[in-house]
Amino acid sequence: MNFELLRWARAFWATRAFWILGAIVFGSMHVGQVCAQSPMRLEELEQAAFESATRFVQDSVVQVETFGGAELVNRQVTSSGPSTGTVVGADGWIITSTFQFKFPPASITVVLADKQRKTAKLVARDFSRELALLKIEVDAPIKPVMPSDRAGWMIGQWALAIGKTFDPSVGSCSAGILSAQGRIWDKAIQTDTKISPQNYGGPLIDLQGRVMGILTPINPGIVTEGEVEQWYDSGIGFAIPLADVLERLPRMQAGQDIYPGKVGIRWRGEDEYSQPVVIEGVTPGSPAADGGVEIGDRIVAAGPSASSLKPVANHSQFKHAMGPLDAGMQLVLVVERGADRKEFTAKLARELPLYKESYLGILIDPASAANTPRVSYIVPGSPASGSGLQSGWVIESVNGIAIDEKRSLENQFANLNYRVPVELGVRDATGVASRIKVEPSTRPESDFEWDYQLAVNPEAPPSDPAGEPAEGKPQVGTVQIPISDVKNKAFAIVPSNYSEKVPHGLLVLFGDAGSLNQAQWAAAWEPFAREHRWIIAIAQSSEEKGWSFEEVEVGMRMQTWLARTYSVDRRRIAVGGFDSGSILAYITAAQFPELFRGVWLSNPKAPRGLRINPSEPFKAANYFVNSSDKGVDELVERLRKNGYSVQRQGSDLDSSKLVEAPLLLPVQRWLRLLEAY
Amino acid sequence: MIDRALSLARLIAAILIVLVFEDPGIFAEDKPRSDVPLGQGSLSGLEELFQSAQRSVVKLYGAGGMRGLESYQSGVVIGDGNTILTSWSTVLDVDKVRVVTYDGRRLDAEVVGVDPECELALLRVENSKLPGFVLEASYQVRPGQRVFSITNLFGIAAGNEACSYQKGVVMAVSDLQSKYTGLRSVYRGKVIVVDVMTNNPGAAGGALVDLGGRLVGVIGKELRDEQSGIWLNYSIPADVAAASVDRILAGKTRSAGASLTMAKNPHKALDLGMVLIPNVIPKTPVYIDRIRKDSLANRAGIQANDLVLLVNDQRVDSQKSFEQILQTIERGDSFQLLLQRGTELLRVQIRP
């Protein structure tokens, strides 16, 4: 019976479809006849519509000019010439783009449609959407724009981009279509009208002259700063839906800037369109951490409230759900934890609390399995040293969360909040389980005497030189590193007791300029390399006078070759540099923050505007900076303010007297401690 | 029953589709296309506009071909058909400019005269038998209006191949002067700005036509605001072009950049009594640090901490541009400043 009904319904709709099709065919014939009588009619009607829509809105569009204060970015003046604004409040509220306000101008003026010029005040900015709100004093009310209802929008419908840069009383018009909705993580609509600084801040209107959105320089972020002009008039332009602007208007009118909301969770994955969002890290003290989100939770829905959740099946969908949410707004997350489904609420933050890596002062035996990490050494004077923890014990849980493949010790420790005591579940050598409380600290920033020879790492494994194949066995001693296409020479000191069965630490150095004394380097580093299982690689600059920025890739190419050829411990990879090479070391570490756990800068000459990203779990390198130059203190301060631990030594390293250099031992102790938790 | 209804509907639909799409009479009218005025209720359409208008656009070949200078451009045939209006460029630096007509004929043209101010040139050919556009000053456009460009951009067309059409709308009709500080254009007058990339290599001198096929502008040279990176796609409007042609024919052209000539004895900020704040960044604002007693600035009512925004309605975005504009004003001439004092704007007149 039901089946019959279904068949009937289907047939009914099939017939309906044919009638509809028939109507379209008749309709198009009718259009055809109209065209036959006057083929220009459609074009003329469109033209009339463009003109009247432009006229309808143009009194609500204003010219915005700034005076002074621009700066050069990549030889391009960041703001030049006038831009456009849109009236959103009759008493003088004007929304424009942030394009002209990258650097504070000396003055902002607005020219109204009646050519009156007014000084304007920058009231607030929306850094998430690149919009700015201006206020002018008006003698009489000015005409605000009329919004277009987004429910009626269709992709492909006409859209006009209106600007005011040419003539303050006549709107400039570029005609195109609405290309897409939900762009830039669901913050913007897209149009193929010609968008440039000429109409940034102006409205994108429909053929009735109602405003769909405000044109902004926002873009998908695949270009770097200074290349924004590649998007000008490209046929790919973006506007923020007016409804979203008006929703935030009261906050902006109150002088509040708007920022993207941050939640403080991390996930990993290669394919953002197919992989589910499984949380791999929660920033300590972040909204997510306070809300109770845990590592291993799988996000299945997200939204600003329980009633407006978007389903999340992959990383891209999560970014779309997060995109429109500002700092201060509520985020509701629905996660699956094992068989349970849980809902969390968090208030999104503008900035996440500064992350600093927690430090307990324990070394883990690299031979122990990942799910049963065994303590091999406890650093004297460290937080763990008085806690009762003994070497040889196995750590089984961290704050009650059992250690397994996904929630490894490294993962869990990286997400610890150093301000809060941690409870370790441990099992001693006799098999007795207990719980130990440790108050972590941040990583030590000063050299201290500890007999790191005690922690020789590890015992030489049962080696059987005869059993290992001689062929294909990697070279030991001073090894030349093949780097093609570049003039640089590079070599590595591989310890004579190297074995593939033991992962080795790796220090990649941008050596001092000019030729290097390989024998001296080997003499200075071989004992450390042998005892603590390290490989030291040094490159030489191609020019005598120093390193140039073009040579920055040399470090990564050395690292790649060595990691492919030798057995390298992921947790013990460091990069360093001398003099001009130290900046290349810094840049290499900044480009691959997850790869390098240590950065050694010897006598660095850091440019003033060096960009430093705040540290994050797994991106919190430890620095060793030595220089007699007091000017380096500023760099050290900036690194510390961004959450990095820095060991500062006040002397220069004379690389011509490397063997007896007093700095050598502190550097080696620092390297030795890199792997410590 | 339902099945039969379906096949019937399908049949009707098929017939209708055949009727609509196979009958050429509905879409195209097969009749002679010449000498029929466009846009006057005739049966001509866009296709007719394209076919007709491109007969009055020619490809020009001359000097160049090195250092990024093209050796070709476009031209519009006007009036009697033997006069070609085009952009004044190095392409014309030859004895005879080679003209290739829409039907592939090659003619030689002589340069009759040039108007440096508008960067336009007039060429003459003999017995071309080409239809000419009417160059009429009253053919004006408004923002939002549909326009088409007809040019030989990038030298794509050769011989009897039709020039390229581009479709767009008029963005604005405006003066080039002073809007964008980074524009290096000799021509500073009124332009039609369109929202399509019309100004490409080889396009200069081409036609901008409206829906009626009327010549509303002559495509200008490539122009980019060097500071902002914006390309400006502009045409010289018909009224400006018509006046320019009249001047060329009457031999009364003016030299280029007359409006920007340096004054022989210009004003200087310091001589006016204005001491500015130190000029330290690329765009130091024109803040007055102090005003000298008994100076012109003092008499005009300028005070310390005032910010200069405009000089004679030209935007001053830095101390550099302030000096540049002052250099165009003779010391004996009076001029106007727009100042910002706090949130107030005030106009003052400097009277030497």
Side-chain angles (χ1 to χ4, degrees), chain A residues 161-220:
Chain A
I162 309 299
K164 262 296 174 71
T165 54
F166 294 99
D167 185 330
S169 53
V170 184
S172 68
C173 166
S174 170
I177 59 167
L178 177 66
S179 307
Q181 293 200 53
R183 287 289 197 250
I184 325 281
W185 311 123
D186 216 3
K187 283 191 282 194
I189 53 177
Q190 188 184 328
T191 175
D192 72 344
T193 54
K194 302 302 186 294
I195 310 303
S196 77
Q198 293 172 340
N199 46 26
Y200 284 162
L204 184 73
I205 62 171
D206 61 19
L207 280 193
Q208 282 72 44
R210 297 169 307 201
V211 173
M212 305 166 82
I214 304 296
L215 303 163
T216 85
I218 200 170
N219 64 53

Side-chain angles (χ1 to χ4, degrees), chain B residues 97-173:
Chain B
V97 180
R98 171 58 56 85
V99 177
V100 178
T101 64
Y102 75 95
D103 50 3
R105 285 178 291 135
R106 293 160 166 234
L107 308 171
D108 284 333
E110 266 178 42
V111 178
V112 176
V114 299
D115 179 6
E117 199 184 5
C118 293
E119 294 195 284
L120 288 175
L122 215 52
L123 314 183
R124 184 88 192 154
V125 288
E126 295 303 325
N127 199 20
S128 76
K129 302 190 192 76
L130 291 171
F133 281 114
V134 176
L135 183 58
E136 170 57 56
S138 65
Y139 292 167
Q140 307 250 350
V141 287
R142 300 170 304 275
Q145 202 172 323
R146 269 257 179 267
V147 282
F148 302 95
S149 75
I150 319 165
T151 66
N152 188 19
L153 69 158
F154 294 105
I156 288 171
N160 64 354
E161 289 175 311
C163 282
S164 302
Y165 271 89
Q166 287 171 290
K167 170 183 177 175
V169 302
V170 173
M171 270 185 89
V173 181

Side-chain angles (χ1 to χ4, degrees), chain B residues 4 8 13 21 23 25 35 60 79 84 92 114-115 133 158 175 179 190 201 222 245 280 288 290 314 325 336 343:
Chain B
R4 205 179 301 157
L8 187 66
F21 292 104
D23 181 3
D35 306 317
L60 301 178
I84 295 166
L92 308 182
V114 299
D115 179 6
F133 281 114
D175 275 359
K179 274 299 160 214
K190 187 168 84 167
E222 286 176 272
V245 168
V280 285
I288 311 290
R290 58 195 163 83
Q314 290 185 76
I325 298 169
Q336 197 182 52
T343 59

Side-chain angles (χ1 to χ4, degrees), chain A residues 8 11 14-15 18 21-22 25-26 28-29 32-33 35-40 43-44 46-47 50-51 54-55 63 65-72 75-77 79-82 100 106-109 117-119 158 165-168 170-176 194 196-199 229 232-234, chain B residues 2 5-6 9-10 13 16-17 20 25-27 39 41-46 49 142-146 148 167 169-174 179-182 193 195-197 211-212 224-232 281-285 287 307-310 315-318 338 340 342-345:
Chain A
W8 183 84
T15 343
F18 261 96
L21 180 70
V25 171
F26 273 108
S28 58
M29 189 172 75
Q33 281 167 348
C35 288
Q37 280 160 13
S38 178
M40 304 295 262
E43 295 273 346
E44 280 164 1
E46 283 170 1
Q47 168 175 304
F50 297 164
E51 288 180 41
T54 305
R55 272 199 304 274
Q63 200 175 79
E65 281 185 286
T66 56
F67 297 85
E71 280 191 30
L72 293 164
R75 275 166 279 140
Q76 203 88 38
V77 174
S79 69
S80 158
Q100 292 172 296
S107 172
I108 308 163
T109 71
R117 189 184 287 270
K118 301 275 186 185
T119 57
W158 282 112
T165 54
F166 294 99
D167 185 330
V170 184
S172 68
C173 166
S174 170
K194 302 302 186 294
S196 77
Q198 293 172 340
N199 46 26
E229 75 268 16
Y232 294 173
D233 299 330
S234 62
Chain B
I2 287 161
L6 280 180
R10 213 172 282 150
L16 285 172
I17 289 166
V20 169
I26 291 179
F27 283 127
S42 73
L43 294 176
S44 54
L46 278 183
L49 184 159
R142 300 170 304 275
Q145 202 172 323
R146 269 257 179 267
F148 302 95
K167 170 183 177 175
V169 302
V170 173
M171 270 185 89
V173 181
S174 173
K179 274 299 160 214
Y180 289 90
T181 45
V193 184
D195 75 338
V196 60
M197 303 295 155
L211 271 178
R224 183 172 189 250
D225 185 318
E226 288 175 8
Q227 286 194 4
S228 68
I230 302 170
W231 289 94
L232 204 67
I281 56 170
K283 294 218 165 181
T284 312
Y287 273 116
L307 174 68
V308 180
L309 302 184
L310 303 178
R315 178 165 165 261
V316 174
D317 65 345
S318 65
L338 182 73
Q340 182 175 348
T343 59
E344 296 299 308
L345 294 178

Side-chain angles (χ1 to χ4, degrees), chain B residues 241-319:
Chain B
S244 175
V245 168
D246 290 346
R247 282 200 299 274
I248 294 172
L249 292 176
K252 286 182 180 169
T253 55
R254 291 186 294 251
S255 65
S259 58
L260 276 181
T261 44
M262 296 294 139
K264 283 195 189 101
N265 190 10
H267 282 294
K268 286 202 175 81
L270 217 55
D271 298 346
L272 293 166
M274 292 189 255
V275 181
L276 307 180
I277 61 167
N279 189 359
V280 285
I281 56 170
K283 294 218 165 181
T284 312
V286 190
Y287 273 116
I288 311 290
D289 196 30
R290 58 195 163 83
I291 292 289
R292 289 200 184 142
K293 279 180 194 162
D294 303 324
S295 64
L296 283 176
N298 192 11
R299 252 178 282 150
I302 304 175
Q303 298 176 6
N305 297 326
D306 285 354
L307 174 68
V308 180
L309 302 184
L310 303 178
V311 179
N312 281 347
D313 284 331
Q314 290 185 76
R315 178 165 165 261
V316 174
D317 65 345
S318 65
Q319 296 196 1

